[in-house]
Amino acid sequence: MPLEPLASSSQKKSLFSIFLDAVFPILCLACQKRGAWICADCQKKIPLRIEQECPLCKKESHILGATCFECKGSTALDGIFSATYYQIPIVSRAIHTFKYRFVPGVSVPLSEILIDALTKSNLPLPDVILPVPLHKRRLRFRGFNQASLLAKNISENITPEIPIPFYENTLKRIRYTKPQIKTLSRTERLANLSNAFIIDPALTPDIKGKSIWLIDDVATTSATLEECAKVLKKSGAKSVYGIVIAR
């Protein structure tokens, strides 16, 4: 009697995917429809920000989120562009699921929201895209850097024919800090992040004279983006724009 052929690795993966989908189905975080973390119908309902704010004073409105004239000397950031609003339940739920329930797949719809907002804006495309880095200890705990997943998706898909360079390890986090969510004020957040980031001197050509999009999931006081921007500007970056899902 002839032996049955062994299942190929692709067949095994397919069977495993079917098993996972049956036991742990992917459900829309808004309507519970099966098949996507944010279904197409619910994603269409998420409003994109029309006006942005100065990253420092948050008083001056600007369509691109540029730093206002009065704040230019007080921050290394040239602006912060936010795709949508954290107060929208599906947005806050998706970000929480992404970061704190450790679900990397949520990066796909969140990246699509970011790309949609950026494409509809007049924000000039950058030379380079960088993620806000995680300390290696937190990276081991979470298993992935949420900012890196977002940055990579944006790099590959915002201009599909000519991907924008994505440098995952140019900016490094060398000091383990307590989570920013556990700090109370911008001053405390800045102190918490002081000297936490560096750029390897050998990698400064990656960013010298370049315009940079610095990607993160959320900006609250913008302290993390600010500290990263300081390091990038000291290494010769021409401009640094924070790009986030929500503020």
Side-chain angles (χ1 to χ4, degrees), residues 31-66:
C31 71
Q32 299 296 294
K33 187 186 295 182
R34 196 170 183 139
W37 291 111
I38 303 178
C39 73
D41 291 336
C42 290
Q43 191 163 318
K44 288 176 186 174
K45 296 175 185 176
I46 297 173
L48 302 179
R49 287 185 74 116
I50 296 172
E51 285 196 341
Q52 307 284 334
E53 301 165 337
C54 168
L56 198 58
C57 69
K58 298 185 183 178
K59 295 175 183 176
E60 294 289 328
S61 294
H62 190 284
I63 193 167
L64 299 179

Side-chain angles (χ1 to χ4, degrees), residues 18-238:
I18 292 169
F19 169 76
L20 284 179
D21 191 46
V23 179
F24 304 108
I26 295 174
L27 304 175
C28 175
L29 293 165
C31 71
Q32 299 296 294
K33 187 186 295 182
R34 196 170 183 139
W37 291 111
I38 303 178
C39 73
D41 291 336
C42 290
Q43 191 163 318
K44 288 176 186 174
K45 296 175 185 176
I46 297 173
L48 302 179
R49 287 185 74 116
I50 296 172
E51 285 196 341
Q52 307 284 334
E53 301 165 337
C54 168
L56 198 58
C57 69
K58 298 185 183 178
K59 295 175 183 176
E60 294 289 328
S61 294
H62 190 284
I63 193 167
L64 299 179
T67 302
C68 74
F69 181 77
E70 290 187 2
C71 292
K72 273 190 180 294
S74 304
T75 177
L77 283 166
D78 292 275
I80 293 180
F81 182 91
S82 169
T84 185
Y85 305 88
Y86 191 80
Q87 294 85 347
I88 297 169
I90 179 58
V91 174
S92 55
R93 195 175 305 137
I95 292 171
H96 188 274
T97 301
F98 186 29
K99 287 180 70 171
Y100 302 115
R101 290 181 59 196
F102 316 123
V103 183
V106 183
S107 66
V108 175
L110 291 178
S111 298
E112 289 172 353
I113 293 166
L114 266 168
I115 290 168
D116 189 21
L118 288 163
T119 303
K120 289 175 179 174
S121 78
N122 291 316
L123 190 66
L125 290 172
D127 299 312
V128 173
I129 292 177
L130 302 179
V132 169
L134 283 182
H135 188 271
K136 58 185 178 181
R137 179 174 159 190
R138 188 161 287 130
L139 183 60
R140 281 197 302 269
F141 174 71
R142 184 172 290 158
F144 61 91
N145 178 358
Q146 75 279 1
S148 287
L149 295 182
L150 295 171
K152 188 171 188 294
N153 284 338
I154 294 169
S155 164
E156 293 174 350
N157 295 293
I158 196 164
T159 53
E161 299 302 318
I162 309 174
I164 297 171
F166 161 63
Y167 299 147
E168 186 172 18
N169 299 310
T170 297
L171 186 62
K172 298 181 184 295
R173 193 169 193 145
I174 57 168
R175 191 165 65 79
Y176 187 76
T177 58
K178 67 181 177 181
Q180 290 289 78
I181 198 170
K182 294 184 179 180
T183 57
L184 300 176
S185 67
R186 177 178 170 81
T187 302
E188 189 179 348
R189 286 178 175 226
L190 286 169
N192 185 45
L193 293 167
S194 179
N195 300 314
F197 303 98
I198 64 163
I199 292 174
D200 184 332
L203 299 176
T204 54
D206 289 348
I207 54 112
K208 192 169 184 179
K210 305 285 180 64
S211 59
I212 294 170
W213 279 0
L214 183 61
I215 312 297
D216 207 357
D217 49 5
V218 175
T220 305
T221 64
S222 73
T224 302
L225 293 169
E226 168 66 25
E227 286 300 304
C228 289
K230 282 181 186 176
V231 172
L232 291 167
K233 286 286 183 75
K234 283 179 181 177
S235 294
K238 182 173 74 173

